[in-house]
């Protein structure tokens, strides 16, 4: 009836909007959507690391200066990390599929520009545009995934596959880059994106569901800009902390201070707004805040270590970039395996035990890698990388799933952006922190080599690659002595860095003890045998979810002669079935069954 608020209206009022036929309950189509989202994520993840092996070729052809080379490498992660919150929350407002498709187009165009860049400046601009496209794609993939998988058990499996693909892309970037550089010019590492994006745009437009969150109130443009500039300043400062020149200079400390102030003002602004960009009350829930902290800590402990390990394989053991990528392949395969079985492990172990076990396994693997020395020990590397990949994936999978489960479907983009931002911040801090530990442990070992001038000694202290160049230039006995001392000092620094990384991972295992013990799949009952939960079938709970007030409202509506809104009418039944259990109005879904 006109002017009458029925139980059906209340039940569907806050359900996020879907394009008809592509909603959460879209049958097997949701797995096709997952494949599409994983392909999107794979491209972005690969692009984050594929340039690492191409830097020497880029330097040879474009002749960038030291500052230009730094920006060629850093422009992509810096811009991407800065804009994740902006585009994640914008997708909640205007539609996640729309933002994702725009990201596809921009990513493809920027890849073409990067592949055929004729100067360092053009390549820097192209890398920055790739960062913008990546920031549009990454949170959209996770928020759409949250939308099309309302059932937590299926969503856990989907997130496991999603996170495994992210790890595969990051670890496979150097391998793909090495393969391409064996046969083509350096621009080929960007050119591979074009055919995939050309297919992704029309297929994504046809296949992906459109969804958006709550559109009440204006979008906070000023808040989005504050978050973007604050994160840009903070990430830039953190990256400069890990640099070898003036890590504690005025510019570095100024960037960190400006970033911290802008982010503090952003938090203050969001707390005062009735319709904030990011629901900061999520951090008051232990499952959300601790999950974000675990993501930061895992990346803090491992990303910097991965870069140092790659240098060890190439500079100490003398492997080529392609051989280095192949050595890291077991880590990727183990991460993939953990992602595939992650859903079952999460249901059996629960978030607390799964994340803490992942941290412990990773710490054990890192500790075992201290057996690496001046000679090649492939079986030590193989075993360590397998356990490392499996444990890391357990940690990230459990953390991402717990974090995303705490966020409402209509704010999934903002929650996904927080998770991706924590990933980028953890990676940046890890490179800065563990890089500083490595330099502090490495430098004393090359400080007093007989026959090496003081100027050359200062240069050799900067890095192992620089020490090799100085040794080659000196030649003779002093050069050989410097080379041997630098290799031994680098291995010593690697061992110290691994010990510190293991300690950080053990702290993560302790922090994970505050996560929920069991995986709550909606309405749950304890299972005495496993200590976990067992989901009550959805259909009966849907029929019983209405409270006494809802029953009275339905009875009044039926008595008033509006059978279309009655509980037993065909329209009402169809509408009720169309609403997935996780998407019902919170006030209705939380009421006890009667």
């Amino acid at each position: 009836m006109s002017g009458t608020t029925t139980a059906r209206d209340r039940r569907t009022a806050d359900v996020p909007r879907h394009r008809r036929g592509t909603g959460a309950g879209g049958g097997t189509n949701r797995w096709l959507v997952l494949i599409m989202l994983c392909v999107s994520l794979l491209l972005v993840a690969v692009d984050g690391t594929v340039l690492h092996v191409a830097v020497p070729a880029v330097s040879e052809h474009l002749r960038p200066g030291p500052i230009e080379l730094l920006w060629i490498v850093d422009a992509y992660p810096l811009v991407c990390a800065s804009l994740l919150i902006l585009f994640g929350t914008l997708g909640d407002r205007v539609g996640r599929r729309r933002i994702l498709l725009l990201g596809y187009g921009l990513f493809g165009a920027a890849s073409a520009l990067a592949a055929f860049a004729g100067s360092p400046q053009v390549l820097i601009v192209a890398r920055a545009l790739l960062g913008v496209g990546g920031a549009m794609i990454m949170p959209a993939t996770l928020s759409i995934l949250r939308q099309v998988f309302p059932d937590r058990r299926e969503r856990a499996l989907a997130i496991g596959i999603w996170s495994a693909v992210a790890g595969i892309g990051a670890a496979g970037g150097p391998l793909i880059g090495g393969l391409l550089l064996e046969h083509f010019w350096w621009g080929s590492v960007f050119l591979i994106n074009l055919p995939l994006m050309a297919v992704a745009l029309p297929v994504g437009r046809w296949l992906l569901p459109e969804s958006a969150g709550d559109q009440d109130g204006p979008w906070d443009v000023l808040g989005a800009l504050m978050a973007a500039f604050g994160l840009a300043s903070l990430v830039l400062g953190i990256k400069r902390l890990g640099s070898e020149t003036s890590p504690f200079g005025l510019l570095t400390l100024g960037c960190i201070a400006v970033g911290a102030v802008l982010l503090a003002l952003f938090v203050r602004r969001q707390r005062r707004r009735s319709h904030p960009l990011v629901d900061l009350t999520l951090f008051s829930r232990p499952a959300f805040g601790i999950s974000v902290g675990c993501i930061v800590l895992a990346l803090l402990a491992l990303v910097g270590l991965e870069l140092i390990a790659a240098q060890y394989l190439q500079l100490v053991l003398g492997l080529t970039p392609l051989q280095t990528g192949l050595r890291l392949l077991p880590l990727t395969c183990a991460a993939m395996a953990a992602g595939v079985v992650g859903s079952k492990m999460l249901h059996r172990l629960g978030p607390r035990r799964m994340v803490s076990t992942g941290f412990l396994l990773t710490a054990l693997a890192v500790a075992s890698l201290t057996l690496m020395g001046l000679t090649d020990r492939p079986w030590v590397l193989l075993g360590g990388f397998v356990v490392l990949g499996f444990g890391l994936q357990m940690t990230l999978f459990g953390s991402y799933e717990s974090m995303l489960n705490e966020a409402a479907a209509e704010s999934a983009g903002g929650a996904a952006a927080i998770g991706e931002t924590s990933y980028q911040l953890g990676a940046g801090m890890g490179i800065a922190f563990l890089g500083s530990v490595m330099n502090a442990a490495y430098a004393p070992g090359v400080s007093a080599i007989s026959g090496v001038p003081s100027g050359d000694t200062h240069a050799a202290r900067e890095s192992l690659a620089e020490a090799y160049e100085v040794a080659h230039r000196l030649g003779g006995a002093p050069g050989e002595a410097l080379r041997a001392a630098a290799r031994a000092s680098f291995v010593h620094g690697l061992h110290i860095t691994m010990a510190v990384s293991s300690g950080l991972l053990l702290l993560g295992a302790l922090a994970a003890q505050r996560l929920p013990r069991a995986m709550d799949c909606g309405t749950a009952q304890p299972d005495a045998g496993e200590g976990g939960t067992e989901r009550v079938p959805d259909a009966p709970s849907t029929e019983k979810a209405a409270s006494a007030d809802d029953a009275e409202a339905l009875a009044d509506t039926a008595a008033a002669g509006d059978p279309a809104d009655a509980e037993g009418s065909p329209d009402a039944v169809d509408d009720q079935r169309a609403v997935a259990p996780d998407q019902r109005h919170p006030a209705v879904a939380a009421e006890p069954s009667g």
Side-chain angles (χ1 to χ4, degrees):
M1 294 176 59
S2 176
T4 302
T5 301
T6 67
R8 184 182 69 178
D9 296 330
R10 290 196 302 272
R11 186 175 289 116
T12 61
D14 288 352
V15 175
R17 291 169 301 284
H18 292 280
R19 203 176 48 177
R20 185 177 298 275
T22 56
T28 57
N29 278 346
R30 63 188 180 275
W31 299 106
L32 297 177
V33 170
L34 177 62
I35 293 172
M36 186 71 195
L37 297 177
C38 287
V39 171
S40 309
L41 180 66
L42 183 65
L43 289 175
V44 176
V46 166
D47 219 70
T49 58
V50 72
L51 188 63
H52 292 170
V53 296
V55 166
V58 171
S59 300
E60 180 181 353
H61 287 83
L62 297 185
R63 301 292 181 184
I67 301 299
E68 291 174 327
L69 184 60
L70 179 66
W71 278 105
I72 288 173
V73 175
D74 286 346
Y76 177 85
L78 176 63
V79 173
C80 185
S82 304
L83 298 177
L84 284 168
I85 289 180
L86 188 153
F87 285 119
T89 56
L90 184 61
D92 286 341
R93 176 57 59 108
V94 304
R96 292 140 188 166
R97 185 186 72 133
R98 180 178 301 174
I99 294 296
L100 182 61
L101 294 179
L102 288 174
Y104 286 166
L106 181 58
F107 203 85
S111 297
L113 182 62
F116 298 104
S119 67
Q121 294 80 13
V122 174
L123 185 55
I124 291 171
V125 172
R127 290 279 290 169
L129 291 175
L130 282 168
V132 177
M136 299 172 79
I137 293 171
M138 292 174 71
T141 61
L142 195 55
S143 56
I144 292 176
L145 184 151
R146 169 68 176 85
Q147 204 72 55
V148 299
F149 288 95
D151 179 85
R152 188 176 182 183
R153 290 188 185 181
E154 285 192 345
R155 185 167 66 243
L157 176 59
I159 291 176
I161 297 172
W162 179 91
S163 56
V165 168
I168 290 168
L175 178 60
I176 294 173
L179 287 170
L180 290 171
L181 292 175
E182 289 281 335
H183 304 93
F184 306 103
W185 94 114
W186 62 267
S188 61
V189 300
F190 300 108
L191 207 59
I192 58 173
N193 295 332
L194 295 183
L196 294 175
M197 285 300 173
V199 174
L201 267 172
V203 174
R205 180 178 175 83
W206 166 72
L207 180 64
L208 295 177
E210 182 60 283
S211 64
D214 189 3
Q215 292 187 348
D216 292 340
W219 188 61
D220 186 9
V221 178
L222 179 59
L225 293 176
M226 290 171 65
F229 284 105
L231 285 170
S233 299
L234 184 62
V235 173
L236 179 59
I238 290 173
K239 283 183 173 293
R240 288 185 61 86
L241 279 177
S243 66
E244 299 167 356
T245 57
S246 63
F248 294 100
L250 183 61
L251 178 59
T252 301
L253 298 179
C255 287
I256 293 176
V258 170
V261 169
L262 284 174
L263 291 177
L265 293 175
F266 170 76
V267 170
R268 181 183 180 186
R269 179 180 176 85
Q270 297 308 299
R271 285 179 173 173
R272 293 183 174 184
R273 290 181 63 86
S274 57
H275 300 286
L277 276 178
V278 178
D279 183 10
L280 297 178
T281 61
L282 288 172
F283 285 95
S284 64
R285 305 176 186 177
F288 188 90
I290 296 298
S291 295
V292 171
C294 287
I295 293 171
V296 172
L297 199 55
L299 272 297
L300 172 65
L302 292 172
V303 168
L305 184 62
E306 183 181 353
L307 293 178
I308 296 170
Q311 293 180 51
Y312 165 80
L313 293 173
Q314 294 186 62
L315 298 178
V316 176
L317 299 185
L319 302 182
T320 65
L322 179 57
Q323 291 171 329
T324 299
L326 291 173
R327 285 293 184 94
L328 293 172
L329 195 58
L331 188 152
T332 303
C333 295
M336 185 189 308
V340 171
V341 301
S343 176
K344 292 183 179 179
M345 286 195 298
L346 183 63
H347 180 64
R348 187 175 184 84
L349 299 177
R352 180 187 301 178
R353 281 192 290 175
M354 181 168 181
V355 175
S356 59
T357 301
F359 270 120
L360 291 174
L361 284 176
T362 310
L364 176 64
V366 172
S368 71
L369 291 176
T370 57
L371 297 175
M372 295 189 305
L374 294 174
T375 58
D376 190 6
R377 296 175 179 174
W379 293 109
V380 171
L381 294 176
L382 175 63
F385 285 155
V386 167
V387 178
L388 177 61
F390 197 89
L392 176 61
Q393 185 61 26
M394 285 180 67
T395 298
L396 293 180
F397 171 80
S399 299
Y400 267 109
E401 200 283 334
S402 298
M403 177 202 72
L404 199 60
N405 186 67
E406 290 297 308
E410 60 269 17
S411 59
I418 291 174
E420 295 299 331
T421 302
S422 66
Y423 188 103
Q424 297 289 341
L425 287 177
M429 289 188 293
I431 293 172
F433 176 66
L434 293 183
S436 299
V437 171
M438 178 68 192
N439 289 337
Y442 161 79
V446 294
S447 297
I449 308 299
S450 178
V452 179
S454 58
D456 289 333
T457 298
H458 179 75
R461 287 166 55 94
E462 297 295 330
S463 67
L464 180 58
E466 190 71 24
Y468 281 178
E469 290 187 12
V470 172
H472 179 73
R473 186 170 64 251
L474 289 175
E480 287 298 324
L482 175 60
R483 184 180 181 87
R487 291 179 75 241
S489 184
F490 185 89
V491 172
H492 169 72
L494 180 62
H495 292 167
I496 297 297
T497 306
M498 287 179 172
V500 173
S501 178
S502 296
L504 292 173
L505 293 167
L506 292 177
L507 288 178
L510 291 176
Q513 296 305 307
R514 293 195 61 195
L515 290 172
R517 182 183 299 275
M519 179 182 176
D520 183 11
C521 300
T523 304
Q525 295 174 340
D527 182 357
E530 295 292 343
T533 61
E534 182 172 349
R535 183 167 180 162
V536 176
D538 289 329
S541 64
T542 303
E543 296 294 330
K544 297 179 181 179
S547 66
D549 292 338
D550 292 323
E552 291 177 4
L554 290 168
D556 292 343
T557 301
D562 191 359
D565 287 330
E567 185 81 68
S569 67
D571 290 343
V573 172
D574 290 342
D575 188 71
Q576 194 175 33
R577 290 173 179 170
V579 179
D582 286 358
Q583 294 175 334
R584 289 176 292 164
H585 192 288
V588 177
E591 289 170 356
S593 61

